[in-house]
Amino acid sequence: MQLERILQKHGFGTRKACRSLIRHELVAVNGQISDNPFAEIDTNGLIFTVDGVDWPYAEFASLMLHKPSGYECSRKPLHHPSVLSLLPMQLRERDVQPIGRLDEDTTGLLLITDDGQLNHVLSSAKRKVPKVYLATTKHPIDQGQIDQLLTGVLLNDEPEPIAAAACEIAGENLLRLTLTGGKYHQVKRMVAAAGNRVEALHRESIGELQLPDDLKPGEWRWLSAVDMKKLGYLA
Ligand code: URA
C-alpha cells in the first residue's frame, strides 16, 4: 500500500496533509525516514512513525480503554466529555465507537472499535458474552440479596425476571456479579430490585479479557491477537 494511503487510513488527514508530513521527513517506516509518499510498503507487521510516535499498521482500530468516571460513552455527549476525547485525534478520525455503553459514573474496561463486525458480535444478545462488574453498595450485602440476584429479579418494563450468571460477596459492601445481557442500567436496577443500592460500579472483564492492572484510568491500549482470542473473536 502507498505510504500516503497508509497515513490517510490511520487518520492523519487528507491525502495532501499526509503527503506534506512525508515530504517534511516526519514519517519513518520500520525505523527509516521515508520521504516518498508513493513508496509501496508491505503492511504486514508494519510499524510506522509519525513525528516520533510509533503506530502499528492496523486494518481496524480496536482498543481497550480504562474508562474513568465522569465521561459519557456517547459520540455526542450531553453533560460530560465523551470517552472518545481520551483518544488521540487519529483514532477519533477513524470513526471508532464504544462497544456497548457504561454509565457516566461507571469505571473499568471499555472496548472501542471501528470494526463493525467485532462490535456486532460482542454486542449481540445471542452471544451472551459474560461481563463481570464490581459494585460498591450502600448497605452491607447479605446472602438473601445474592440469592435473589441469582434466582432473578423483576425490572420495570421487563416481562420476566432477570438473573445474574454469577454473583458473590466480595466484601462487606462489595458485590461481584456477572451479567450476560446489557440492558440499560442493568446492574444498578438489579441491585436496587434486590433491596440494596449501587454507589460505585466498575467493570473488571469482558469474556476472558480482564482490565490489565497496569492500565490506569484514562489510558488505552490496542487489542492484541491474544486479547481477541480471550473475547472469543477470531476475525
Ligand atoms: N450496569 C449499570 O447499571 N451501569 C453500567 O454502566 C453498566 C452496567
Side-chain angles (χ1 to χ4, degrees):
M1 191 183 290
Q2 283 188 342
L3 185 54
E4 178 184 285
R5 172 79 192 105
I6 292 174
L7 259 61
Q8 195 191 19
K9 180 176 165 58
H10 285 75
F12 287 88
T14 60
R15 276 199 169 231
K16 202 170 155 205
C18 296
R19 197 172 303 170
S20 167
L21 287 169
I22 298 165
R23 294 270 195 232
H24 283 91
E25 303 195 348
L26 290 168
V27 179
V29 174
N30 295 326
Q32 295 276 319
I33 295 281
S34 174
D35 63 0
N36 177 7
F38 309 111
E40 278 296 334
I41 310 290
D42 179 3
T43 56
N44 208 358
L46 168 68
I47 308 274
F48 62 95
T49 311
V50 182
D51 210 6
V53 178
D54 284 347
W55 294 84
Y57 176 87
E59 187 59 29
F60 292 108
S62 297
L63 49 115
M64 63 171 101
L65 171 77
H66 185 159
K67 181 192 175 294
S69 180
Y71 287 82
E72 293 182 26
C73 284
S74 168
R75 292 170 61 86
K76 294 198 174 130
L78 292 177
H79 305 293
H80 301 271
S82 165
V83 286
L84 300 178
S85 69
L86 295 164
L87 303 178
M89 182 265 287
Q90 289 81 3
L91 288 174
R92 297 201 303 271
E93 285 288 315
R94 289 188 71 164
D95 230 12
V96 291
Q97 35 192 313
I99 302 182
R101 292 192 175 189
L102 291 177
D103 297 335
E104 170 273 313
D105 55 351
T106 300
T107 59
L109 181 59
L110 181 69
L111 304 179
I112 296 179
T113 191
D114 63 352
D115 180 348
Q117 199 186 344
L118 175 67
N119 196 334
H120 174 73
V121 165
L122 292 179
S123 315
S124 147
K126 272 193 232 139
R127 289 280 312 283
K128 295 192 185 309
V129 179
K131 299 176 188 91
V132 180
Y133 295 89
L134 196 60
T136 307
T137 56
K138 180 166 186 183
H139 312 291
I141 295 138
D142 59 41
Q143 193 54 43
Q145 290 165 12
I146 299 285
D147 293 344
Q148 282 190 69
L149 289 164
L150 285 172
T151 319
V153 287
L154 200 53
L155 303 181
N156 279 347
D157 302 335
E158 294 299 331
E160 296 190 345
I162 299 185
C167 186
E168 62 180 19
I169 298 176
E172 200 184 1
N173 289 56
L174 264 189
L175 178 70
R176 179 171 287 110
L177 79 173
T178 306
L179 299 185
T180 52
K183 298 191 187 302
Y184 182 66
H185 291 331
Q186 188 169 339
V187 175
K188 292 174 184 166
R189 290 160 70 211
M190 286 177 71
V191 171
N196 207 325
R197 185 188 157 89
V198 172
E199 300 262 300
L201 188 59
H202 179 79
R203 183 154 69 190
E204 296 184 320
S205 63
I206 300 174
E208 299 289 310
L209 180 67
Q210 300 265 352
L211 179 69
D213 285 342
D214 59 351
L215 193 67
K216 302 286 169 254
E219 289 181 352
W220 67 276
R221 140 175 342 167
W222 296 100
L223 287 178
S224 67
V226 173
D227 297 332
M228 289 292 193
K229 258 197 182 151
K230 290 181 178 171
L231 290 167
Y233 184 76
L234 299 168

